[in-house]
Amino acid sequence: MIRPLVLGVVRRGDDLLVLEGHDTVTGETFYRPLGGGIEFGELSEQALHREFREELDVSLTGVARLGVLENVFEHEGVPGHEIVVLYTASITDPAFSQRADPGPILDEGTPVRWLPLRDVVAGRAVLYPTGLLELLTGQ
């Protein structure tokens, strides 16, 4: 089954707002922008706003479509296939960007952090979905 997904690329200078994930089968730690599934009848931008309210209790501004990626992957030994709609956005509360620790995702506790993009470029951190780094750096 192909899953429609929306992710928000929120930046603070060179840093990206990401969740930290871990695959216990491969041992890989990875990072992904926040967002989630698009529900039936919901437009991707509506889903983005809903997801950020649910996950961090924040509102977004300056939302603009960045692109669409197709992501075929394996996580926890299970194959997955996503069509990922990506948006750039800012969080309306400027104090949020000042937080060193944005806190966990509210409805599940997954860690959220500011990831320096240079760590991804240098190979010190893995960023998903595949192709996002190229969209962000123009490579």
Side-chain angles (χ1 to χ4, degrees):
M1 175 197 263
I2 299 174
R3 179 177 180 221
L5 187 70
V6 63
L7 299 177
V9 177
V10 175
R11 296 182 80 157
R12 178 182 72 177
D14 182 48
D15 299 339
L16 298 176
L17 185 64
V18 294
L19 62 78
E20 181 178 310
H22 188 75
D23 187 318
T24 60
V25 173
T26 65
E28 178 183 64
T29 296
F30 60 90
Y31 302 93
R32 190 196 84 191
L34 281 71
I38 301 169
E39 296 175 2
F40 181 80
E42 183 178 46
L43 299 178
S44 61
E45 187 172 340
Q46 293 170 327
L48 180 70
H49 288 280
R50 176 183 50 75
E51 287 289 342
F52 270 77
R53 279 191 310 275
E54 290 173 0
E55 293 181 349
L56 294 177
D57 193 26
V58 297
S59 298
L60 298 174
T61 187
V63 176
R65 186 171 300 172
L66 175 63
V68 177
L69 294 171
E70 187 167 9
N71 192 26
V72 178
F73 60 96
E74 190 168 296
H75 178 68
E76 298 292 339
V78 178
H81 189 169
E82 301 169 330
I83 303 297
V84 185
V85 183
L86 296 152
Y87 287 91
T88 58
S90 297
I91 293 175
T92 54
D93 180 0
F96 187 90
S97 293
Q98 305 301 319
R99 294 184 194 173
D101 178 8
I105 291 179
L106 298 175
D107 59 355
E108 63 180 55
T110 301
V112 175
R113 63 179 280 203
W114 292 104
L115 176 68
L117 190 57
R118 66 182 172 276
D119 287 356
V120 179
V121 172
R124 293 187 297 267
V126 176
L127 180 66
Y128 289 125
T130 302
L132 177 56
L133 179 62
E134 292 76 14
L135 274 177
L136 296 175
T137 61
Q139 297 180 9

